[in-house]
Amino acid sequence: MKDYKKADASRISISELMLPSHSNFSGKIHGGYILNLMDQIAFACASKHSKSYCVTASVDTVDFLSPIEVGELVTMKASVNFVGNTSMVVGIRVIAENIQTGVVKHCNSSYFTMVSKDKDGKSQQVPGLILNDKVEVKRFLKAIKRMETKKQRQYEFDHQDFSHVDYLPILKEHKVRIDLPENF
């Protein structure tokens, strides 16, 4: 395995003014545009840490908390929060600032799992992570917890004993119509 690197050695911040061309039909900045920027900063952060080409393996917890307006300055901050053997979890925080009033709002936080690739497209090892403060330790531990939760969900839905019938009573409590064939 390669050496260890400090978490702050690969932190990246980008800012971009939101233009009318980035907006959706309701006049707010299109979520897909923001996701594209987030993917770019995740790539840059992971590549900076690993010193290699990286690909997006998954995206966790994309909650759009506040709409972004045309004319606001969007800043994204990314850091490597966790490293595995060939993968890294990059945490991204998105804030928007009204440059006329100075009001700043938190718009989104998300976690991108990025995988390091070699010249032939094969996964390769990434440097370990040196954590320098309690915030970095907390981010690392939260990444482990998210991975455990994800594995548990995957197991629940992939497990051979899983049956939709077990969930029918729960579904009846929701706004859904169940119209299954008799032999389903």
Side-chain angles (χ1 to χ4, degrees):
M1 183 164 156
K2 298 179 183 179
D3 292 38
Y4 287 76
K5 292 178 75 174
K6 292 182 180 180
D8 57 359
S10 42
R11 282 202 180 99
I12 293 182
S13 179
I14 61 168
S15 295
E16 184 173 329
L17 185 64
M18 294 297 105
L19 304 174
S21 60
H22 304 140
S23 67
N24 59 25
F25 294 114
S26 68
K28 309 297 182 192
I29 300 305
H30 193 328
Y33 183 73
I34 298 301
L35 283 170
N36 179 49
L37 291 177
M38 292 170 74
D39 193 48
Q40 289 178 41
I41 194 171
F43 168 82
C45 184
S47 294
K48 189 174 179 184
H49 181 80
S50 66
K51 295 194 182 301
S52 66
Y53 179 76
C54 294
V55 296
T56 305
S58 70
V59 181
D60 268 346
T61 319
V62 180
D63 294 322
F64 293 97
L65 306 172
S66 297
I68 300 171
E69 308 288 338
V70 171
E72 289 185 325
L73 182 65
V74 168
T75 299
M76 296 186 181
K77 298 177 182 182
S79 64
V80 174
N81 292 350
F82 174 87
V83 296
N85 188 33
T86 61
S87 66
M88 300 150 277
V89 174
V90 176
I92 303 169
R93 182 175 178 88
V94 180
I95 59 170
E97 178 182 358
N98 181 313
I99 55 178
Q100 294 173 332
T101 65
V103 173
V104 176
K105 60 187 174 185
H106 176 212
C107 299
N108 187 333
S109 289
S110 191
Y111 306 95
F112 282 59
T113 300
M114 308 297 289
V115 177
S116 175
K117 298 291 186 174
D118 65 15
K119 294 181 289 190
D120 301 319
K122 294 185 179 171
S123 298
Q124 65 179 5
Q125 287 189 341
V126 298
L129 197 59
I130 299 170
L131 307 175
N132 284 318
D133 61 36
K134 289 181 181 180
V135 171
E136 291 174 355
V137 172
K138 183 177 173 181
R139 288 175 179 163
F140 194 91
L141 292 171
K142 281 185 165 186
I144 292 171
K145 185 64 177 168
R146 278 191 308 278
M147 287 185 295
E148 289 171 354
T149 301
K150 186 176 181 179
K151 284 180 185 176
Q152 180 61 36
R153 276 194 321 261
Q154 194 67 48
Y155 174 81
E156 181 180 329
F157 287 106
D158 287 349
H159 194 268
Q160 59 196 7
D161 293 337
F162 174 80
S163 168
H164 72 281
V165 176
D166 299 336
Y167 289 90
L168 288 177
I170 295 170
L171 293 175
K172 289 180 180 180
E173 297 172 10
H174 295 275
K175 191 175 180 177
V176 62
R177 184 173 141 194
I178 303 167
D179 194 7
L180 300 174
E182 291 293 324
N183 59 354
F184 189 70

